[in-house]
Amino acid sequence: MNLPAKSWITSYFACFFFIWGIFLPFWGVWLADKGISPEQIGTLFSLGLVLRFVSNISLLPRLKTANAPITMVCYLTFFTLLCLLSLMFFQGWYVLAAATLLLNFLLAPMVPLGDIIGTRLVKQIQMNYGKVRLWGSVSFIVGSTFVGWTIGEFGHDSILWLIILAVFFNYSLSLIKLNPQLQEQSRPNPGTTNNLMTLLKKPNVIYFILVMGLIQGSHAAYYSFSALYWKSMGITEFNIAILWGLSVFAEVILMRFNDRLFNKWSVKQMCLLAVLAGFVRWGTLYQTADFMWLLLVQTFHAFTFALAHLAAMRFIAMQDEHLMVGYQTLYSGVALGLVMAVLTFISGWIYAPQDSSLFLWMALILLPVLLLLKQWKCEPSSH
C-alpha cells in the first residue's frame, strides 16, 4: 500500500500536530489529575525541554539515507505508543515522571523529521511546503479544542486516550510507503564532511542559528507567561483561548497564501518583516492589555512565527541535500530548542503578575537580529 507523497506528508503533519495540540497544553493537566504537584510538573517540563534538545542533537544526525526519516518516525511512534499504553497499567510518581521525560525525548524529533521530509519533497516534486504545513496548525487547533470538550464530557482520562489513538494512527501512517518514494540524497564531494561541528565552523550557519533562534526565541515569554499575565489583568480564560486561537488561525492563513505573497521575497526580507512585526506585536502588548488591541496584534503571529519558520525552511531547502539534515538538526535542536529553553528560563525570572515589562524584553531580544541580518550572506551560492 502506498500514498501520494503530498498526501502522506499532509496526513503526517495533521496527525502529529493533533497529538502535539493535546500534549503541550494538557499533559500537565493530566499529571495534576493524577496527584502530581505543580512544583513537580514544573521540574518535569524543564527537564523535558533539555531532553528535547538532546533528542534532536543525538537522533537527527543518524539519518543517512533518503528513507531514514520515515524509518525513524516508525520507531519513535512505536515506542511512544508502548510508553503511553504502559500508563494504562502503571502509575505513581516515578512511573509518571519517567514516562513524561521519555515522551519528551521521543516526540521532540517528530516535527523536524516532518520538515526534513517536506523540504526534500519541495525539491523532488515541487511541493508547496506552506500549503501542506498549514494543516498541522489547523490540526493543533482541532486537537486542543476537541480535548477541552472531551474533558468536560468524559473526564481527564480522555487526554491519555486521545493521544494513544492519534499516536496509533501516526504509527500506522509510518508503515505506508510514499509515491514517489524519497530519492537518495546527493553525495558530498570526496574529502568533505557534514557533521554538526563542521557546519558550525561556517559563518553563515552561525548567523542562521542566531537569527532564527532570536526571532523564534522572542516568543519564549509569550508561550510561557502571556496567559498568566492576561489573566492577572482581568482577561477571562475564554478570551485568552480566543487570543491564542486567533494567532494560530492567522498562521494558517499566511501558510495558505505564502507562495502567492512571498514567492519573490528573499530569506532576509522575510526575516526582516518578521522582526518588524515583532517590534509592533511585543511593543503593543507592553503598552496595553485592551482586548481589542490584543485581538489585532495576535494576528501578527503569522509574521513573527510562521513567516520566520517558512524563511528557515526555504533557507534549508537551498542547501545541498547531504547537508539538509545537519541544518535541520541545528535549527530544531539549537535555534528552536536550546535558545528557546534558555530564554524561557530567563523569562521566568522577569515575569511578575500585572507587569508588562516581560513584553518589552521580548522586543529587545529582536534588536541584535537587525545587525545579524546585515552581515548574514544567505544566498544559494553561499552554502
Side-chain angles (χ1 to χ4, degrees):
M1 180 179 179
N2 58 55
L3 271 179
K6 183 178 178 182
S7 299
W8 191 98
I9 191 62
T10 302
S11 301
Y12 175 82
F13 279 129
C15 193
F16 176 75
F17 278 97
F18 183 87
I19 300 167
W20 211 227
I22 300 171
F23 183 79
L24 282 185
F26 292 101
W27 191 252
V29 175
W30 184 78
L31 289 174
D33 184 65
K34 300 303 176 184
I36 307 302
S37 70
E39 293 79 10
Q40 291 171 322
I41 293 173
T43 300
L44 290 176
F45 282 11
S46 298
L47 292 174
L49 282 173
V50 176
L51 282 178
R52 290 181 205 174
F53 165 71
V54 172
S55 178
N56 284 322
I57 291 296
S58 61
L59 295 182
L60 295 181
R62 298 179 181 274
L63 303 174
K64 303 299 183 183
T65 64
N67 286 313
I70 299 174
T71 302
M72 186 172 287
V73 167
C74 183
Y75 280 113
L76 290 173
T77 50
F78 176 74
F79 287 110
T80 299
L81 187 60
L82 288 183
C83 178
L84 291 166
L85 289 173
S86 70
L87 294 176
M88 297 173 60
F89 305 99
F90 307 101
Q91 293 188 5
W93 159 245
Y94 291 106
V95 172
L96 294 176
T100 298
L101 296 179
L102 180 59
L103 287 172
N104 275 278
F105 184 87
L106 293 171
L107 292 173
M110 300 291 278
V111 174
L113 284 170
D115 287 335
I116 289 169
I117 297 169
T119 49
R120 285 186 178 171
L121 290 176
V122 168
K123 283 190 172 185
Q124 190 172 321
I125 63 172
Q126 289 73 54
M127 183 187 75
N128 185 313
Y129 172 86
K131 289 184 179 179
V132 170
R133 174 62 175 77
L134 71 86
W135 290 107
S137 300
V138 171
S139 189
F140 186 98
I141 299 173
V142 172
S144 58
T145 303
F146 184 65
V147 76
W149 174 79
T150 62
I151 290 173
E153 292 292 322
F154 306 106
H156 291 90
D157 283 340
S158 63
I159 297 172
L160 179 62
W161 280 103
L162 277 177
I163 296 179
I164 289 174
L165 186 62
V167 170
F168 174 76
F169 279 111
N170 212 4
Y171 172 64
S172 301
L173 182 66
S174 71
L175 300 176
I176 300 175
K177 293 183 178 180
L178 282 70
N179 182 25
Q181 295 189 46
L182 296 176
Q183 297 173 355
E184 284 299 328
Q185 55 193 348
S186 61
R187 299 297 180 184
N189 295 324
T192 62
T193 58
N194 60 349
N195 61 62
L196 297 184
M197 293 309 298
T198 301
L199 285 178
L200 285 171
K201 294 178 182 178
K202 298 183 178 184
N204 87 316
V205 175
I206 300 298
Y207 282 118
F208 169 62
I209 292 172
L210 291 175
V211 167
M212 295 303 170
L214 291 174
I215 292 176
Q216 299 293 5
S218 73
H219 295 73
Y222 163 72
Y223 291 149
S224 301
F225 299 104
S226 61
L228 292 174
Y229 169 73
W230 288 332
K231 187 175 181 180
S232 74
M233 297 299 290
I235 298 176
T236 66
E237 286 88 347
F238 177 76
N239 283 341
I240 291 172
I242 289 176
L243 291 173
W244 275 74
L246 179 61
S247 69
V248 181
F249 178 75
E251 171 189 324
V252 169
I253 296 299
L254 184 137
M255 288 188 173
R256 171 63 180 82
F257 297 103
N258 83 93
D259 195 46
R260 185 183 305 176
L261 297 173
F262 301 104
N263 185 46
K264 296 183 180 180
W265 286 49
S266 69
V267 171
K268 274 190 179 183
Q269 289 172 330
M270 294 167 74
C271 291
L272 181 59
L273 180 56
V275 170
L276 296 178
F279 286 138
V280 175
R281 185 184 185 188
W282 311 135
T284 302
L285 266 59
Y286 170 65
Q287 290 290 335
T288 181
D290 180 81
F291 186 67
M292 297 307 296
W293 279 106
L294 296 181
L295 285 174
L296 176 63
V297 296
Q298 278 299 85
T299 63
F300 280 49
H301 190 71
F303 304 105
T304 60
F305 166 74
L307 187 62
H309 181 68
L310 291 173
M313 292 300 101
R314 183 177 296 183
F315 177 73
I316 292 172
M318 292 176 183
Q319 313 308 316
D320 291 333
E321 289 185 25
H322 71 275
L323 296 175
M324 286 169 57
V325 171
Y327 277 87
Q328 185 66 58
T329 301
L330 292 173
Y331 173 62
S332 301
V334 181
L336 297 184
L338 186 60
V339 174
M340 183 72 75
V342 170
L343 294 177
T344 299
F345 178 78
I346 296 173
S347 299
W349 288 92
I350 297 175
Y351 172 73
Q354 299 183 336
D355 183 0
S356 64
S357 60
L358 186 71
F359 301 109
L360 180 61
W361 142 254
M362 293 160 70
L364 292 176
I365 288 173
L366 293 172
L367 285 175
V369 180
L370 297 175
L371 298 176
L372 292 167
L373 285 175
K374 192 173 182 180
Q375 299 297 322
W376 185 23
K377 301 185 184 304
C378 58
E379 294 77 12
S381 61
S382 65
H383 58 262

